[in-house]
């Protein structure tokens, strides 16, 4: 295991890019000691810890047009557009089994980033601290606002970690982590547009029980854009390493075009291959 912290941005099916990056790390037997996954980054990161290359990409590409995984059947059964029950049960136990034993035995620190709806704050949950099970925490981390129902864990309800903390690079810096690799699913220059007044009204109506969450939802673009600028500065200063798509990503969060998803996956692999020597020098340097 190397002294390396991975920070994995979300982005729903855009996470096939991250799958490509992580598959290359597994190819070169690079085992980070810390993995922070936000939203789909948490779902993807699980397969890195369980040492199952290609699994994450295979599921997202093969099942992207399956309505039980994404779509109407999932909505009818689970009250959300993502079929987590189908993913964590039928797919993960039968159709494309998840190696839970390897995941559980791993000494790697796997941390899911989740948003507390009542408090409007970010929480970081390590895999060994999940009283309700890791799948439930990862589901909470990847439950997109409006597309998914809230997930109750203990006394609180949770949603997508990206609502309150899209890319937790400062979490690692504040704890003195030395080698940090940030994997983005948008190009470096991408910035989110402001939340429209109409969408703010939707958030206020749908999440009226959670006023602190609504505040975070309405300010997501500004905070995300500030973090992207911050990451660019940190990269220029040599304090972190970043892997990101070279050009604007046209893959949507719930993309149905399998060829576009395959291309984005290959982009992730190629981009990591190009920098694998740099990463190896970084984590093997003395001092």
């Amino acid at each position: 295991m190397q002294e390396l912290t991975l920070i994995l941005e979300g982005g729903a099916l855009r996470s096939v890019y991250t799958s490509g990056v992580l598959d290359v790390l597994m190819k070169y037997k690079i085992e980070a000691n810390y993995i922070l996954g936000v939203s789909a980054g948490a779902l993807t990161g699980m397969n890195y810890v369980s040492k199952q290359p290609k699994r994450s990409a295979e599921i997202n590409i093969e099942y992207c047009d399956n309505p039980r995984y994404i779509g109407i059947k999932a909505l009818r059964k689970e009250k959300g557009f993502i079929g987590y029950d189908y993913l964590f049960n039928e797919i993960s136990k039968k159709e494309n089994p998840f190696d839970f034993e390897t995941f559980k035995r791993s000494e790697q620190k796997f941390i899911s980033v989740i948003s507390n709806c009542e408090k409007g704050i970010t929480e970081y949950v390590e895999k060994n601290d999940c009283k309700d099970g890791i799948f439930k925490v990862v589901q909470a981390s990847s439950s997109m606002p409006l597309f998914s129902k809230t997930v109750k864990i203990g006394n609180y309800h949770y949603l997508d970690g990206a609502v309150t903390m899209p890319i937790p690079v400062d979490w690692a810096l504040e704890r003195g982590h030395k080698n940090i690799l940030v994997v983005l699913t948008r190009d470096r220059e991408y910035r989110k547009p402001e939340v429209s007044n109409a969408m703010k009204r939707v958030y206020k109506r749908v999440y009226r029980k959670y006023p602190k969450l609504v505040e975070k939802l309405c300010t997501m673009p500004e905070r995300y854009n500030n973090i992207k600028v911050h990451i660019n500065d940190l990269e220029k200063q040599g304090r972190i390493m970043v892997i990101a798509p070279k050009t604007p990503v046209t893959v949507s969060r719930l993309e149905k075009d399998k060829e576009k998803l395959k291309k984005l996956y290959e982009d992730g692999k190629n981009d990591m291959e190009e920098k694998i020597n740099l990463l190896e020098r970084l984590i093997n340097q003395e001092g």
Side-chain angles (χ1 to χ4, degrees):
M1 190 184 306
Q2 291 90 354
E3 185 173 353
L4 173 66
T5 297
L6 298 180
I7 298 175
L8 311 178
E9 183 183 14
L13 292 187
R14 286 191 291 270
S15 66
V16 294
Y17 179 85
T18 304
S19 300
V21 172
L22 297 183
D23 283 357
V24 171
L25 296 187
M26 285 188 269
K27 171 185 172 182
Y28 289 94
K29 302 188 185 307
I30 294 176
E31 296 185 13
N33 57 339
Y34 277 89
I35 301 98
L36 277 82
V38 183
S39 193
L43 281 167
T44 306
M46 289 182 70
N47 300 283
Y48 172 70
V49 177
S50 68
K51 297 177 176 57
Q52 292 178 273
K54 298 184 180 180
R55 180 178 182 272
S56 180
E58 285 174 351
I59 290 173
N60 282 325
I61 294 170
E62 180 181 347
Y63 292 87
C64 69
D65 56 357
N66 185 324
R68 295 183 65 192
Y69 182 48
I70 301 173
I72 297 300
K73 288 186 178 180
L75 179 64
R76 289 172 180 166
K77 185 176 180 181
E78 303 186 36
K79 298 181 180 179
F81 280 96
I82 310 297
Y84 289 106
D85 286 344
Y86 180 50
L87 171 62
F88 293 141
N89 288 292
E90 273 189 63
I91 294 177
S92 294
K93 293 178 181 178
K94 299 176 183 177
E95 298 173 15
N96 195 330
F98 178 70
D99 188 346
F100 193 81
E101 286 304 313
T102 297
F103 178 84
K104 187 167 60 175
R105 288 197 308 267
S106 174
E107 295 181 1
Q108 294 171 290
K109 297 290 186 181
F110 176 78
I111 299 165
S112 300
V113 181
I114 57 179
S115 296
N116 185 308
C117 297
E118 282 85 358
K119 297 181 179 181
I121 62 172
T122 309
E123 295 183 16
Y124 301 84
V125 185
E126 207 277 323
K127 69 182 176 71
N128 294 322
D129 298 329
C130 302
K131 295 180 181 179
D132 292 310
I134 186 63
F135 282 162
K136 196 166 188 180
V137 175
V138 171
Q139 177 181 345
S141 181
S142 56
S143 290
M144 295 181 292
L146 304 181
F147 287 93
S148 305
K149 62 182 180 180
T150 61
V151 178
K152 188 174 183 182
I153 302 174
N155 296 321
Y156 297 99
H157 296 81
Y158 294 87
L159 274 178
D160 197 324
V163 173
T164 55
M165 180 48 64
I167 312 169
V169 64
D170 284 337
W171 184 96
L173 290 170
E174 289 165 2
R175 285 158 180 77
H177 293 208
K178 293 181 180 179
N179 305 322
I180 300 172
L181 174 61
V182 178
V183 183
L184 304 177
T185 55
R186 291 281 200 179
D187 65 276
R188 287 171 173 78
E189 303 308 315
Y190 173 78
R191 300 294 182 267
K192 288 184 180 294
E194 291 185 6
V195 178
S196 67
N197 289 330
M199 184 56 68
K200 288 179 180 179
R201 289 193 292 271
V202 171
Y203 285 146
K204 289 177 182 178
R205 183 173 69 252
V206 174
Y207 298 113
R208 56 187 176 277
K209 294 193 296 184
Y210 310 116
K212 292 181 179 179
L213 177 72
V214 171
E215 180 183 350
K216 293 294 185 180
L217 286 165
C218 292
T219 59
M220 275 182 68
E222 179 182 357
R223 289 180 291 105
Y224 176 86
N225 295 343
N226 288 339
I227 288 174
K228 286 293 288 288
V229 172
H230 182 46
I231 286 173
N232 287 346
D233 290 341
L234 291 170
E235 184 182 25
K236 290 175 183 176
Q237 295 165 17
R239 297 180 64 189
I240 65 172
M241 183 174 172
V242 178
I243 297 292
K246 292 184 175 69
T247 58
V249 176
T250 60
V251 168
S252 67
R253 288 186 297 176
L254 304 180
E255 184 63 60
K256 302 296 185 186
D257 188 329
K258 295 186 178 184
E259 293 306 313
K260 289 176 68 174
L261 291 170
K262 290 176 184 177
K263 171 64 166 55
L264 188 58
Y265 170 67
E266 292 297 326
D267 287 346
K269 288 173 62 179
N270 293 335
D271 290 348
M272 189 67 254
E273 285 279 4
E274 287 179 7
K275 291 192 174 182
I276 196 66
N277 291 334
L278 178 61
L279 178 63
E280 288 180 328
R281 289 198 297 271
L282 177 69
I283 60 182
N284 291 323
Q285 65 187 355
E286 296 182 2

